[in-house]
Amino acid sequence: MEGKPEDDGGDLTRRGFLGGTGAALVVAGVPTLGGVGVEEEGVSTQLLEAVPQTAIRVTVNGTEHRVEVEDRWTLNEFLRDHIGLTGSKIGCNRGECGACTVLLDGEPVYSCSTLAVWADGREIVTVEGLERGGDVSPLQQAFMDHNAAQCGFCTPGQLMTATALLDRIPQPTTGEVREAMVGNLCRCSNYNAIVEAVLAAAATSGSGGAQ
Amino acid sequence: MKAFTNQNARTLDEAVALAQQALRDGRSVSFVGGGTDLLQLMKDKVVNRPGSGDPDVLVNLKTVEGLDEVTSSGQVVTIGGLTTLEALVEHPVIRDRLTVLAEAAESVATPQIRHTGTLAGNVVQRPWCWYYRNGFPCYKAGGNRCFSIAGENQLHAIFGGGPSYIVHPSDLAPALVALDATFRVVGPEGERTLSGPDFFVLPSQDAEHENVLADDEVLASVALPAPGDGVRSAYHKIMDREAWTHALVSAAVVLDMDGDVCREARIVLGGVAPVPWRVPGAEALLAGQRVTPELAREVGAAAVAGARPLSKNAYKIPLTRGVVERTVLALATSA
C-alpha cells in the first residue's frame, strides 16, 4: 500500500491520498504552534496561545520513540497520525467499542481514552507488533482460519484483547474468552467465530504470541 | 479536544498546589486518574465542573508515588485512590476479605476500562443520566431543572430524588459504604476524613455535585475496617444486558454471621438513588436472627419501603426487592 509514485495518479491509493492530505494539514497548522499574534486593521489583536507539548519516551512494538507530543493527543492519535501505525482503529472514540485497543505494559487499554503524554516511559504493543519474523501470530492465523474477521474493522482490537487474555490464561474456557472480550464490539456480530478462533489459537499454541 | 496542559504531580501536596495555581491564574482545572471518563466528557464538551467549563489544566495523579497501593495494617485496610479496578479484582486480601468490593470492581465496564480506571475515579465519576451526558442544561451542568421528571426517566432515582433525579453511577460506592469505608480527602487546608454519609451529598443539599469535593480537593484513599472472621459480603448487579453497562439496580450486602445467625447486616443499594442508598430498616430485621427464606423476603420488602418512583421506573421496586432478598439469602446460606 505504501510508496506509490506521485505521478501514478491512476493508481492513487486511499491511504496514500490520506497521508498526503495529512501532511498538507500539518503544514497549515504550523503557524499556531509558535504562538502568533494576528494583527489586521479593524480586527482586534488576538494572541493564539501555543498548544502545550511535552517530550515523552515510549517503546512501541519494541522500537523506542523520543517525541514531542501535544498534551491533548490521545494515545491513538499519536499512534495513528504521528508514527503511522494505523492498525488500531477509531470506532467510537469514546471508550465503548474497543477497536482502538492496544497493550500498555502488557494490559489491554482503549488508546482513544488515554493520553499519549501519560504513556511516557511505558511499553506499547499494537496489532503491527504481533507478527514475528514476517509470520503472523498463531492467534492471527486462527482468526483467518475461522473467518473471525468479516468487515475487519474491529479485528485489530479483538486481536489485542485476545492476545492479552492468552498471555494471562493460556488455556481459557469459552466463558473466560467471552468475559475477556466484552469490551470489543463487532458490528458484523461475528462473535461466535471470534470466540472459536481464540479457543483454537489456545489449543494449537497455548499462547497468543505477544512478546 | 481543545488544547490543555497536562501537569504531572509527584506528591499529593504538589497536585493540590498545581490545581490552586491554575485556579489563581483563572484557568479551569481537573484532577485526573485513569481519565477514561474525563476525556470523554471533554470530547463531548459536557460541563464537568459547573461554572468552570472544560479544564484548561489536567493535574495528573498517576505520577504520584504510592497512590495506587493497598496496605493492610492490623485493623484497617487502606486503598489508594489511584488503585485500578483490575488491581482491586486481583488483590488477594480484597478478594477474600472484602469480597463485595472485588465483585463490584469486576462488574464495572470492560477489561480495558478496568485496567485504566481507578477507585477514586469510579467513586467520583459524574452521573450517566442521558440528559446530562447529552448537553442538557440540567442541575448537574449548572442549570436549574431536571429533564427526567417529565421525560425519559426509566433509569432514574426511586429514592432520595429532587430536585435532580440522577442515580449515583458508581459500583464501588455502594460496596465501600457497605464496608463502612472512610474517605480521605486532601486539599489546601490539609486533609480530612469523612464517612460515607458525609462524603456523598443528595441533590437536596447540593444539586450540582454528588460529593463534597471542591475543585482543589482530591479523594486520596479509602480506609476500611478489617472485617471479623464471620463477615461475608457480596455485590449483585442487575443490568439490562449481561455486561458493559451501569446497574439498573444493585445491592452491596455485608453480613456478620455467627453460624446461621446474623449478628449485624449492612445493605447498600446502587442504581436507585443519587447517593449510595443504605436501607437501615432492612438491616435491622436481620440483627440477631436466623436467616430463613421468609426473613429474606421481609428484608427485601423493607428495602423498598419509602420508594417513590417516577412515571417510568416503578419496575425498579420489585427488582430491588428481589435482588436484596436473593443476595441476603444466598450470602447467609453460603458456608
Side-chain angles (χ1 to χ4, degrees):
Chain A
M1 296 281 282
E2 305 295 336
K4 293 278 180 185
E6 284 215 321
D7 56 354
D8 193 1
D11 261 348
L12 189 64
T13 63
R14 186 175 65 107
R15 182 156 297 162
F17 173 75
L18 289 174
T21 312
L25 288 175
V26 168
V27 172
V30 161
T32 62
L33 298 179
V36 176
V38 181
E39 285 193 62
E40 261 182 64
E41 213 151 331
V43 177
S44 63
T45 301
Q46 191 187 16
L47 189 67
L48 299 179
E49 259 189 69
V51 175
Q53 299 189 358
T54 303
I56 64 165
R57 179 178 55 82
V58 290
T59 302
V60 184
N61 300 331
T63 303
E64 190 180 278
H65 296 258
R66 290 168 183 271
V67 281
E68 286 263 321
V69 297
E70 290 187 11
D71 289 8
R72 64 175 162 180
W73 286 350
T74 63
L75 179 57
N76 188 272
E77 282 176 275
F78 167 67
L79 294 170
R80 285 184 55 87
D81 302 346
H82 301 280
I83 62 171
L85 294 174
T86 53
S88 68
K89 298 289 185 271
I90 283 295
C92 66
N93 200 25
R94 51 193 299 115
E96 289 175 1
C97 76
C100 68
T101 302
V102 301
L103 303 186
L104 186 61
D105 290 342
E107 307 288 7
V109 302
Y110 293 138
S111 63
C112 77
S113 295
T114 189
L115 295 180
V117 68
W118 298 338
D120 187 21
R122 304 184 71 178
E123 189 163 326
I124 296 148
V125 179
T126 70
V127 71
E128 289 92 339
L130 291 185
E131 64 163 33
R132 283 289 166 274
D135 285 334
V136 294
S137 74
L139 180 69
Q140 289 173 304
Q141 186 61 50
F143 263 60
M144 290 188 265
D145 295 343
H146 292 263
N147 293 323
Q150 282 194 31
C151 85
F153 197 80
C154 72
T155 308
Q158 304 276 5
L159 286 167
M160 300 320 290
T161 305
T163 296
L165 167 69
L166 295 177
D167 282 348
R168 192 166 51 88
I169 310 176
Q171 304 290 331
T173 63
T174 304
E176 284 169 334
V177 174
R178 289 187 179 279
E179 219 164 89
M181 306 289 289
V182 297
N184 290 81
L185 308 187
C186 169
R187 205 170 167 187
C188 308
S189 208
N190 199 28
Y191 295 106
N192 289 340
I194 292 168
V195 172
E196 243 176 56
V198 177
L199 290 170
T204 55
S205 71
S207 159
Q211 310 297 322
Chain B
M1 278 180 283
K2 78 167 194 185
F4 57 79
T5 303
N6 174 77
Q7 294 189 309
N8 294 332
R10 303 287 153 200
T11 65
L12 275 175
D13 288 343
E14 188 190 350
V16 171
L18 287 168
Q20 284 189 291
Q21 185 59 51
L23 292 169
R24 271 197 300 273
D25 294 343
R27 312 180 79 195
S28 56
V29 64
S30 191
F31 294 104
V32 61
T36 54
D37 188 29
L38 181 64
L39 293 181
Q40 187 169 320
L41 287 166
M42 291 167 68
K43 289 177 194 172
D44 289 347
K45 299 187 168 26
V46 172
V47 177
N48 181 22
R49 280 286 180 183
S52 68
D54 259 11
D56 302 309
V57 175
L58 296 188
V59 177
N60 180 21
L61 301 173
K62 287 181 286 297
T63 44
V64 175
E65 198 75 29
L67 208 49
D68 60 352
E69 281 171 10
V70 179
T71 54
S72 194
S73 68
Q75 293 309 299
V76 180
V77 179
T78 305
I79 307 174
L82 268 280
T83 308
T84 64
L85 301 176
E86 190 61 28
L88 294 176
V89 174
E90 305 278 331
H91 199 284
V93 171
I94 296 172
R95 273 220 92 82
D96 295 346
R97 311 288 310 282
L98 306 163
T99 312
V100 63
L101 185 59
E103 290 182 355
E106 197 162 23
S107 79
V108 175
T110 67
Q112 287 93 327
I113 287 182
R114 293 197 293 273
H115 278 115
T116 313
T118 63
L119 176 140
N122 183 271
V123 169
V124 307
Q125 68 185 304
R126 296 310 314 273
W128 282 83
C129 167
W130 39 38
Y131 291 105
Y132 168 65
R133 291 278 169 163
N134 283 285
F136 284 69
C138 69
Y139 287 111
K140 294 298 175 184
N144 63 357
R145 60 181 285 208
C146 177
F147 292 84
S148 79
I149 297 169
E152 298 300 321
N153 51 40
Q154 291 89 330
L155 303 180
H156 291 73
I158 58 172
F159 295 107
S164 163
Y165 287 82
I166 62 118
V167 293
H168 199 275
S170 170
D171 286 302
L172 299 192
L176 290 169
V177 174
L179 290 167
D180 201 13
T182 52
F183 297 76
R184 186 169 72 98
V185 171
V186 174
E189 314 295 327
E191 62 178 72
R192 51 189 180 138
T193 301
L194 301 162
S195 68
D198 290 336
F199 181 77
F200 297 103
V201 295
L202 281 167
S204 53
Q205 300 164 262
D206 178 350
E208 286 181 4
H209 302 106
E210 298 77 57
N211 55 61
V212 298
L213 288 182
D215 281 353
D216 51 8
E217 284 187 316
V218 178
L219 172 56
S221 62
V222 295
L224 308 162
D229 286 340
V231 173
R232 38 183 108 140
S233 64
Y235 187 71
H236 197 149
K237 176 177 176 180
I238 308 290
M239 295 174 273
D240 59 9
R241 53 179 183 258
E242 269 189 67
W244 199 182
T245 189
H246 293 89
L248 294 174
V249 170
S250 69
V253 178
V254 179
L255 300 182
D256 184 2
M257 300 295 293
D258 180 5
D260 58 354
V261 172
C262 177
R263 276 189 286 245
E264 196 196 343
R266 288 175 69 99
I267 304 173
V268 183
L269 305 176
V272 295
V275 296
W277 193 256
R278 199 172 166 195
V279 283
E283 294 171 356
L285 291 179
L286 284 161
Q289 301 297 313
R290 179 168 288 110
V291 182
T292 61
E294 293 71 30
L295 178 60
R297 196 169 311 133
E298 284 173 41
V299 171
V304 295
R308 293 183 55 193
L310 298 161
S311 59
K312 298 182 179 180
N313 67 1
Y315 73 93
K316 286 192 177 186
I317 294 176
L319 209 53
T320 304
R321 196 191 297 136
V323 72
V324 169
E325 175 187 337
R326 287 187 199 180
T327 311
V328 165
L329 190 61
L331 199 52
T333 53
S334 70

